[in-house]
Amino acid sequence: MALGPLLAEVVVTFVLAACLLFRYGNWFKHHVIVTASVLVAWYFSFLIIFVLPLDVSSTVYRQCMQSLNATSEQAAVTNGSDGRSCQVPWSYVPDEVFPDLWRVVYWTSQCLTWLILPLMQSYTKAGDFSVKGKLRSALIDNAIYYSTYLFICCVLFVYIILKPGLDVDGGKLKAIASSASNTWGLFLLVLLLGHALVEVPRSLWRASSYNYSLNKAYFRTAKLSSERSEAEEAVDDVLEHLQSVTLSIGPGHYLHRHLETIMQKIPADIRDRMGRRPLADGSVPDEPTEKSLVRLHKQVKKALQMQHRTEAQWVILMDEVIALEDASRFFSNHNRPNAWWPPSQYWYFRGKEYLLKTAAVCAGTLSAAIIWSELTFFVKDPVLSIFARIVNLAKSNYDYFTIELISTLVIAYLCFCAYSTVFKVRVLNFYYLAGHHGTDEYSLIFSGMMLCRLTPPMCLNFLGLIHMDSHVIKTHILETHYTQVMGHMDVIGIISDGFNIYFPTVLLLLSAATYFSLGSRLLSALGFHQFIGGEDDMTADLIDEGRDLVKREKRRRQRSEETSTRRRDFHERFGTSLGIRRMRNDDRVRRGEEGEGQESARTVLLRDVEPLDYNSAELHPSQDDDTFRLPERTRFNQLPRGLFDDV
């Protein structure tokens, strides 16, 4: 009855949440309040996932003890004896620990997801220049959102008052809040799982085919390239507006400090580009006001965020496409080791293929079991839910480890499906989790909100799958401490008897629609091109366009590597001063290439040539023809190596 397993999971879960946040967020750039809030949201959501199985096994033991005590009392009345006993779980936690833990975790998560994080999200994108102004903008931005939620709560509250035989007290109000939150979460959860339970196994199986994955990556490259161009155009438009504003606001202007705040948001290379570009003809800037600067500040933050997101996606996608091209070349080369493909690389690609297919089969089996159990988990006699039968069998054998293992596996798979779908769909293609500290504050806060909203109803739904919710099986049983803290929707019969039980059957329709790709076909028909796998003309054109873009990106990377190599060789051969001067010239030329895209690699190399000393190296006419030649003392081996490689 030690707390060792619980404390170990608490610590390991915190380390996991902190490591993930360190990978995706930027602790040194983001505000400390944002980092702390997202860390708490992620940590408490993961804590529910990994600690709930311990609560389930402890509840099984308490149910056994309750049944044993009832049998002992009956045997004492009849002067009989009962020799049965209940085995204590290896991870048993005392009864007084879980209630306090779940209260802190659940209600903190609810406050974060419904109050703190939405305001913080709107606060981060507000364009005001003061804390008071940002808070006011955040409240206005969330007014419609809060009014909708408040309207639902008021309807439920009126329903309770008008229903005879019900009294309103603190417990009823808590049930209303839990009911509204869990109903919203369950509705979103069903939509996400209806897509993911089919798409996750299918994606794993298709990923084992490198040709299919490569064509899809080319397709994504073409679409991302257009998004990237749109993001750059949006930045240029905002910079043009900002440049016109700078003409009206001088150093002594009362709005100059606000203008400086906006300029600090712009990276140095973009500011240099803005300073070099001429102002559009005929553009007469209007008299700026504080309100117009607030609007401009918000536009600048949004445009830079979109550009940062697309650039991060582009780098990740290019690395993925290049790796897929290597794998595709390998499989097209007779699928066997040879001089170009060593055995280690052969077994890497072949093992990855088999691993993905195995994972797809396992995920498909688990998805089928979940869908079947979702459709039948409210049927008690006979028990049709697969997971309920497994838990009942393990319960009869006091196999607590199997109960915890199956609980962790199912909850983790449900969470993976739901969370991966959230960030794969990317609402309005605006939220994106990028590794290497590339995720912005807005996306991090959105991820924390979604985890806090989805995890509690997901775990409550799992308890219904294994028949540990008395209001699902309509039988009075000893429930988990988690269910007791979250409460039931007894006061709202239309929800407890219908929606939260039978609505998961919508999974069957959504899963069938996902299997036949009805949603993707509908989006393609509306003009939002989707990669369905068919070889229609539009898909083929986008694949060819993506292939050309990848070739161009590979040539650009190769030129950049060659330039870096030559710069390093030049630095090693000719010393520090010349090396620093050459690096400055290269950086200036590289910025000119990125800004204008008009200079070739040959121009870059020719710019780096040190000027000849014409006093000592005069040109003399050749005796054989009309050309000129250098004197004998001017040797080509004194020039930088590789200078004339491209000539």
Side-chain angles (χ1 to χ4, degrees):
M1 293 189 297
L3 295 176
L6 176 62
L7 294 178
E9 292 204 357
V10 169
V11 174
V12 171
T13 304
F14 179 81
V15 173
L16 175 63
C19 291
L20 288 176
L21 183 57
F22 180 79
R23 171 179 171 80
Y24 290 103
N26 193 329
W27 290 12
F28 305 101
K29 181 180 178 181
H30 296 163
H31 198 283
V32 62
I33 298 180
V34 174
T35 301
S37 300
V38 175
L39 178 60
V40 172
W42 286 17
Y43 174 50
F44 281 5
S45 299
F46 293 159
L47 197 64
I48 296 175
I49 297 171
F50 291 106
V51 175
L52 183 60
L54 300 183
D55 192 6
V56 172
S57 62
S58 298
T59 302
V60 170
Y61 171 72
R62 292 189 294 113
Q63 289 176 350
C64 179
M65 292 297 297
Q66 184 184 47
S67 176
L68 181 61
N69 293 334
T71 305
S72 300
E73 293 177 359
Q74 184 178 4
V77 171
T78 58
N79 295 325
S81 62
D82 189 356
R84 294 187 305 167
S85 61
C86 297
Q87 298 181 8
V88 181
W90 67 280
S91 58
Y92 178 73
V93 178
D95 295 343
E96 64 273 8
V97 175
F98 275 127
D100 296 334
L101 176 64
W102 291 137
R103 289 190 185 95
V104 173
V105 170
Y106 177 70
W107 290 111
T108 302
S109 301
Q110 293 302 299
C111 290
L112 283 173
T113 190
W114 295 110
L115 296 176
I116 299 176
L117 292 180
L119 287 174
M120 190 176 296
Q121 191 179 35
S122 300
Y123 184 91
T124 57
K125 70 175 184 179
D128 299 84
F129 301 99
S130 63
V131 176
K132 182 179 179 181
K134 290 183 178 181
L135 287 176
R136 183 177 62 252
S137 298
L139 290 174
I140 296 175
D141 190 41
N142 286 271
I144 299 177
Y145 166 76
Y146 285 125
S147 61
T148 304
Y149 184 70
L150 184 62
F151 174 76
I152 297 175
C153 291
C154 291
V155 170
L156 298 178
F157 183 75
V158 172
Y159 175 82
I160 294 174
I161 295 178
L162 297 179
K163 190 173 182 179
L166 290 179
D167 297 328
V168 178
D169 53 13
K172 297 294 189 306
L173 293 177
K174 185 185 72 172
I176 293 174
S178 299
S179 174
S181 175
N182 294 327
T183 299
W184 189 96
L186 185 61
F187 175 79
L188 180 60
L189 181 64
V190 170
L191 296 179
L192 296 176
L193 292 181
H195 172 80
L197 290 176
V198 174
E199 190 61 30
V200 168
R202 183 165 60 184
S203 299
L204 290 173
W205 183 267
R206 289 176 173 175
S208 63
S209 173
Y210 291 102
N211 290 330
Y212 177 89
S213 300
L214 184 59
N215 288 333
K216 186 176 181 180
Y218 286 147
F219 182 87
R220 292 166 52 201
T221 300
K223 293 191 64 177
L224 183 59
S225 177
S226 62
E227 295 177 12
R228 189 183 178 204
S229 300
E230 292 175 0
E232 292 177 355
E233 291 176 0
V235 171
D236 291 338
D237 293 340
V238 171
L239 292 182
E240 183 178 352
H241 188 193
L242 182 60
Q243 187 177 11
S244 64
V245 170
T246 55
L247 299 178
S248 303
I249 300 179
H253 200 278
Y254 75 100
L255 295 177
H256 185 264
R257 58 188 182 92
H258 296 331
L259 181 62
E260 289 295 324
T261 302
I262 299 176
M263 296 297 294
Q264 290 176 1
K265 298 290 192 306
I266 303 176
D269 55 340
I270 299 181
R271 285 202 302 268
D272 295 341
R273 187 177 67 186
M274 184 180 68
R276 291 194 303 267
R277 61 183 299 172
L279 190 64
D281 297 335
S283 60
V284 179
D286 298 331
E287 182 65 24
T289 61
E290 184 174 357
K291 186 176 181 180
S292 64
L293 283 184
V294 168
R295 184 168 56 253
L296 178 61
H297 189 197
K298 187 175 182 179
Q299 293 174 354
V300 168
K301 293 168 69 174
K302 182 179 180 180
L304 293 177
Q305 177 184 343
M306 295 295 291
Q307 186 190 42
H308 176 73
R309 178 186 60 79
T310 53
E311 289 296 333
Q313 288 179 270
W314 181 263
V315 174
I316 296 173
L317 182 58
M318 286 301 103
D319 295 338
E320 179 183 347
V321 173
I322 293 174
L324 287 173
E325 286 182 339
D326 294 339
S328 180
R329 277 196 302 270
F330 161 72
F331 277 97
S332 63
N333 195 12
H334 306 297
N335 292 346
R336 64 175 182 270
N338 49 47
W340 294 274
W341 294 97
S344 60
Q345 202 158 8
Y346 170 83
W347 288 114
Y348 169 77
F349 287 119
R350 182 61 69 184
K352 184 178 180 181
E353 179 187 9
Y354 291 147
L355 181 62
L356 288 173
K357 289 184 176 180
T358 303
V361 172
C362 295
T365 304
L366 193 55
S367 293
I370 290 175
I371 293 175
W372 172 260
S373 299
E374 289 283 2
L375 296 174
T376 60
F377 71 98
F378 50 85
V379 179
K380 178 186 177 183
D381 190 16
V383 177
L384 299 179
S385 174
I386 297 176
F387 303 110
R389 296 181 69 90
I390 294 175
V391 170
N392 290 337
L393 180 61
K395 187 188 304 184
S396 61
N397 296 325
Y398 303 106
D399 191 355
Y400 299 108
F401 179 78
T402 300
I403 295 175
E404 296 174 4
L405 179 63
I406 196 67
S407 300
T408 304
L409 178 64
V410 176
I411 296 175
Y413 184 71
L414 289 173
C415 293
F416 174 78
C417 290
Y419 300 158
S420 62
T421 305
V422 169
F423 296 103
K424 182 179 180 181
V425 174
R426 298 172 195 154
V427 180
L428 299 180
N429 205 23
F430 193 68
Y431 308 100
Y432 181 71
L433 289 180
H436 308 289
H437 320 291
T439 308
D440 55 87
E441 294 181 345
Y442 199 74
S443 297
L444 284 176
I445 295 173
F446 176 77
S447 67
M449 289 169 51
M450 296 309 297
L451 260 66
C452 290
R453 293 184 188 181
L454 290 176
T455 304
M458 184 187 308
C459 293
L460 191 63
N461 178 254
F462 167 75
L463 293 175
L465 292 181
I466 61 175
H467 286 187
M468 297 198 71
D469 190 337
S470 61
H471 294 259
V472 171
I473 60 177
K474 303 300 181 182
T475 302
H476 179 72
I477 60 173
L478 187 63
E479 296 177 323
T480 61
H481 294 292
Y482 180 78
T483 307
Q484 296 173 10
V485 170
M486 288 190 63
H488 296 287
M489 277 61 76
D490 291 345
V491 294
I492 312 172
I494 190 174
I495 294 179
S496 62
D497 296 336
F499 187 83
N500 282 333
I501 295 178
Y502 299 106
F503 188 73
T505 57
V506 181
L507 274 174
L508 184 61
L509 298 177
L510 294 175
S511 300
T514 304
Y515 180 80
F516 293 104
S517 302
L518 297 182
S520 299
R521 298 180 190 276
L522 178 61
L523 290 176
S524 297
L526 295 176
F528 302 95
H529 302 297
Q530 303 292 315
F531 188 81
I532 305 175
E535 293 299 331
D536 54 79
D537 295 338
M538 181 59 68
T539 301
D541 292 341
L542 290 176
I543 291 175
D544 294 338
E545 181 184 351
R547 186 182 292 109
D548 295 337
L549 289 171
V550 171
K551 291 180 181 179
R552 190 182 308 168
E553 177 68 16
K554 291 171 67 175
R555 288 195 298 267
R556 189 195 66 80
R557 291 188 177 188
Q558 184 178 3
R559 289 196 302 267
S560 179
E561 292 177 359
E562 291 175 354
T563 302
S564 300
T565 302
R566 290 169 179 169
R567 182 190 307 170
R568 184 171 57 254
D569 294 341
F570 189 89
H571 174 72
E572 293 176 356
R573 291 191 57 187
F574 294 97
T576 305
S577 60
L578 292 177
I580 293 175
R581 194 181 340 174
R582 176 183 168 86
M583 290 172 63
R584 291 175 178 173
N585 292 335
D586 281 347
D587 291 338
R588 185 166 55 253
V589 174
R590 177 178 56 81
R591 288 196 299 267
E593 283 184 343
E594 294 177 354
E596 304 297 336
Q598 298 177 350
E599 296 180 326
S600 63
R602 182 182 301 177
T603 307
V604 176
L605 297 178
L606 293 178
R607 270 193 177 184
D608 296 328
V609 180
E610 295 294 330
L612 295 175
D613 186 0
Y614 290 97
N615 295 327
S616 59
E618 297 179 354
L619 295 176
H620 299 279
S622 176
Q623 298 177 357
D624 298 332
D625 49 26
D626 294 335
T627 60
F628 288 86
R629 62 181 176 84
L630 291 173
E632 294 292 333
R633 61 180 178 272
T634 304
R635 302 182 181 275
F636 283 97
N637 59 9
Q638 295 177 355
L639 298 176
R641 179 178 297 176
L643 176 61
F644 297 97
D645 291 350
D646 297 331
V647 179

